[in-house]
Amino acid sequence: MTLINRDRLVEHFIQLVKIDSESRNEKQIAEALSEQLGELGFSVKKLPVPEEVSNGFNVYARLEGKLEDSIVLSCHMDTVTPGIGIEPIIEDGIIRSKGNTILGGDDKSGIAAIMEAVRCIQAENLEHKTIEIAFTVHEEGGLFGSEYFDMSNITSDKAIVLDTGGPIGTIVNAAPGQQKIVVDIKGRPAHAGLAPEQGISAIQVAADAINQMKLLRIDDETTANIGIVEGGNATNIVMPELKIVAEARSLNAAKLDNQVEHMISTFETVAKKHGAEVEIESTRAYNAFVVADDHPHINAVKASFEAIGAEPFTKGTGGGSDANNFNAKGLTTVNVSTGMAKVHTTEEFIAIDDMVKITEFVKHYLTNA
């Protein structure tokens, strides 16, 4: 077995992270990856998304294989901020940024692994499964690229997203649905020194409601949080208006519905008690998914991890990924670790050994029927 070309893998990864691609600004990286996939022999389609989602496009690519099976391999192309002018540094087998930006291993480490695996397969002239690529825009902050991904091109019944951290061998097979709740509380202004009793304090209404609410860890499957509170402009005015942005998540759809109903009804009941008005906008960001531990897709993924000497294990997570939307669209999808660490911070890093290992995994999975 020929080894992964470590230097080429690292060089490509560094090339990718140097392309600025903060969410909604993915045109440049989408164009670069479309060209590179074309050079590898893939047929490539540039799938449009609404302008407010991105200035770029989702990428679908396909490479026919001689082995009977097929798989969708997916990563997102965008990064969080600060992700402009990334300067990667390599020290003792670790790649990190200079320290003033993120690194972008989330999720360009996955992209680099997929493409290096394909290069190795072609260099060794190995037979492989049919490979379908789904590279998405604007995953960070809402999974928008996968929400708008045109599934009509996809023929496989399963997918692997390479977009989580932890040891190589980590398989995320359960992730929560998320509901976003925006609450506008309208009280009544009054002079806080002369006639405070004539006012209705929006912050007092909010405090009363929040005090009665079940929040943070609800149970082993469910969480809820008040994330943003905005209001007020002077200490001598009884606060007339307040905006709250909250969320609830659960692996269980019924529990998520119950938690959201509890939060909304608490705001409404308390507002009425104080004589305030409340406007609530509640939207499902994405749905939960659970793939059974003994599902054939998971068994196949585990077998490839074992073959490269990694110890596979399944786990649930508290965060969403494109796997949520792909499962909701009927594509059985798991999310595997690339070894990325401290993502979404300027301390983000990845070990080259882990990048090589996840590339070995992809190569093994693609070449074993």
Side-chain angles (χ1 to χ4, degrees), residues 1-251:
M1 175 178 133
T2 309
L3 293 172
I4 303 301
N5 187 328
R6 191 182 178 98
D7 291 344
R8 183 174 60 194
L9 170 64
V10 170
E11 190 180 322
H12 186 219
F13 174 65
I14 283 173
Q15 178 200 338
L16 293 178
V17 300
K18 283 183 173 177
I19 300 173
D20 294 344
S21 59
E22 288 181 347
S23 300
R24 299 182 69 244
N25 183 36
E26 298 93 345
K27 189 175 194 307
Q28 194 183 349
I29 191 162
E31 294 284 10
L33 290 170
S34 297
E35 190 177 323
Q36 290 169 17
L37 287 163
E39 287 165 3
L40 287 172
F42 283 82
S43 60
V44 180
K45 287 187 180 179
K46 301 174 180 180
L47 306 181
V49 295
E51 275 179 32
E52 64 270 18
V53 170
S54 174
N55 64 357
F57 47 86
N58 285 326
V59 176
Y60 171 79
R62 184 183 184 90
L63 188 65
E64 295 297 335
K66 288 185 177 166
L67 299 182
E68 268 194 20
D69 205 2
S70 66
I71 185 68
V72 177
L73 298 174
S74 181
C75 301
H76 63 87
M77 299 179 284
D78 62 317
T79 72
V80 296
T81 58
I84 294 174
I86 294 169
E87 292 181 50
I89 291 168
I90 305 175
E91 287 174 340
D92 303 324
I94 304 290
I95 310 176
R96 61 180 83 249
S97 78
K98 205 173 72 172
N100 58 335
T101 65
I102 50 130
L103 173 63
D106 178 8
D107 190 20
K108 293 173 184 177
S109 59
I111 296 172
I114 292 167
M115 293 180 73
E116 178 56 31
V118 172
R119 289 189 181 106
C120 291
I121 288 167
Q122 292 181 342
E124 294 171 53
N125 206 19
L126 298 173
E127 291 193 351
H128 58 81
K129 300 171 185 178
T130 292
I131 306 165
E132 297 188 83
I133 300 290
F135 289 159
T136 62
V137 295
H138 205 165
E139 185 268 356
E140 302 290 4
L143 317 183
F144 299 109
S146 54
E147 182 185 334
Y148 288 102
F149 199 92
D150 178 359
M151 302 297 281
S152 64
N153 299 286
I154 287 175
T155 57
S156 184
D157 61 352
K158 57 192 173 294
I160 299 170
V161 169
L162 291 84
D163 183 26
T164 192
I168 301 298
T170 304
I171 305 164
V172 172
N173 66 328
Q178 182 189 348
Q179 191 87 358
K180 183 181 180 185
I181 304 166
V182 181
V183 183
D184 281 302
I185 299 171
K186 292 182 169 69
R188 187 192 307 131
H191 194 292
L194 300 178
E197 53 283 316
Q198 290 175 14
I200 298 171
S201 170
I203 189 81
Q204 201 170 10
V205 175
D208 191 0
I210 291 166
N211 195 41
Q212 294 182 39
M213 221 172 270
K214 293 178 290 198
L215 291 169
L216 302 179
R217 172 65 65 190
I218 310 302
D219 60 36
D220 60 350
E221 294 184 304
T222 314
T223 60
N225 185 50
I226 307 289
I228 301 168
V229 179
E230 295 172 344
N233 46 30
T235 61
N236 64 350
I237 303 169
V238 172
M239 191 188 291
E241 202 166 331
L242 183 73
K243 179 182 178 182
I244 291 169
V245 185
E247 67 157 52
R249 301 179 188 224
S250 185
L251 292 166

